[in-house]
Structures are given as structure tokens and as C-alpha cells.
Amino acid sequence: QVHVMESTSNILRRFYTEVWEQKNLDKIADYFHPDAGQDLLIEDRAVDISEVREWMEILHGLVHGITVNFLQTIEDSAWCSAFLEISCTSSQTGKPVTVYQQIMVRQADGLFLESYPQFDLLRFFAQLEQLPADAYPLLMGGTRLG
């Protein structure tokens, strides 16, 4: 029996505030259901809490001052889809960085059962100056960066 009490968008907002903005990585596990990984929309895409933590450690090492703005959310019972604007500052250059993420999550009993984030890594690393200045046209032309 799945119960949906608090809106999924509210839980998602809390997650981004506590984990992304406030860097409270010890809270990550508090957001994911122990049964996460069963009955998935996309097989083999179960949430691995250690991977989420590793991504957050990498992210917080590259940037600081993260602010997450929910540009649009669509909610349907246990599901929520959100389009996010993430603003921060490069730890290396001090320059502002703005990147976008789309995420779709499903919750039960206030915990996420599924999470499907799509983060614009190309734009992110380009703004961190870790890609060639002409990375977009190079990639569009079939060049492999490596």
C-alpha cells in the first residue's frame, strides 16, 4: 500500500535545499525509500545512495553557493517532474555558473522510490572552463573529446 501524504514537489524542494544548497550530505539517505529499486519505470536505474553522495561531493568540490530555483513542476499523485535552474560559483575561477536539470521522481510514504535526473553536464563543464571553448561545434561535427 502506497501512501502519499506530503506533496512530492515539497519533498523534492527540501532535498535540494538540504543536500544541494546546505551541503548536508548525511541527509541523502533520509530521502530514499528502503525498497527503492523495485518496480521501476526504467529497469537498471535504481538509485544508488553512494553514487548520489559521490556526485554531491564532486559538485561541492567544483562549485559553491548553490541555489536551486524550481522553474516548473508538474505533479501527479506520487510523481513529480521538475525543471530546475541551478546557480552557483566556480570554486576555481570565481565566475558564476548557471546550469539546468530536469528530474522526475516518485515517492511513497514521503520517501523517493525512483529518481531520474538529467543534468546538463556539457554546459556545466564548459562554464567551469574544463572543455575547449569550441566544444559545442566540435561535438556537433563528430569530434571526440578525450
Side-chain angles (χ1 to χ4, degrees):
Q1 179 76 5
V2 173
H3 298 92
V4 178
M5 299 173 86
E6 182 180 5
S7 75
T8 307
S9 62
N10 284 351
I11 298 166
L12 192 61
R13 174 69 259 179
R14 265 198 349 268
F15 174 77
Y16 278 95
T17 298
E18 288 189 337
V19 175
W20 285 62
E21 295 177 346
Q22 297 173 353
K23 296 193 248 182
N24 195 343
L25 305 189
D26 291 334
K27 288 281 191 177
I28 294 170
D30 295 348
Y31 283 92
F32 293 93
H33 202 281
D35 294 332
Q38 298 179 9
D39 191 30
L40 297 174
L41 182 65
I42 302 173
E43 287 186 39
D44 301 325
R45 284 290 309 265
V47 174
D48 181 335
I49 293 171
S50 65
E51 286 181 6
V52 175
R53 185 180 184 97
E54 184 176 12
W55 164 238
M56 288 294 96
E57 288 170 350
I58 291 168
L59 182 70
H60 288 296
L62 295 170
V63 299
H64 61 272
I66 296 174
T67 301
V68 180
N69 183 18
F70 279 58
L71 298 176
Q72 182 69 45
T73 59
I74 300 170
E75 198 151 5
D76 181 22
S77 185
W79 283 97
C80 177
S81 177
F83 183 57
L84 313 173
E85 179 183 65
I86 299 156
S87 302
C88 48
T89 303
S90 168
S91 296
Q92 188 173 30
T93 66
K95 293 181 181 177
V97 174
T98 301
V99 68
Y100 297 91
Q101 178 172 354
Q102 292 178 306
I103 187 166
M104 198 165 116
V105 294
R106 178 172 66 99
Q107 65 114 342
D109 303 319
L111 301 173
F112 298 131
L113 289 166
E114 298 180 71
S115 175
Y116 303 102
Q118 300 296 323
F119 188 84
D120 189 352
L121 289 168
L122 188 61
R123 180 183 307 265
F124 179 66
F125 285 109
Q127 290 179 70
L128 292 178
E129 300 177 7
Q130 295 189 11
L131 293 174
D134 54 355
Y136 286 101
L138 286 172
L139 291 169
M140 295 285 286
T143 302
R144 299 180 90 181
L145 300 178

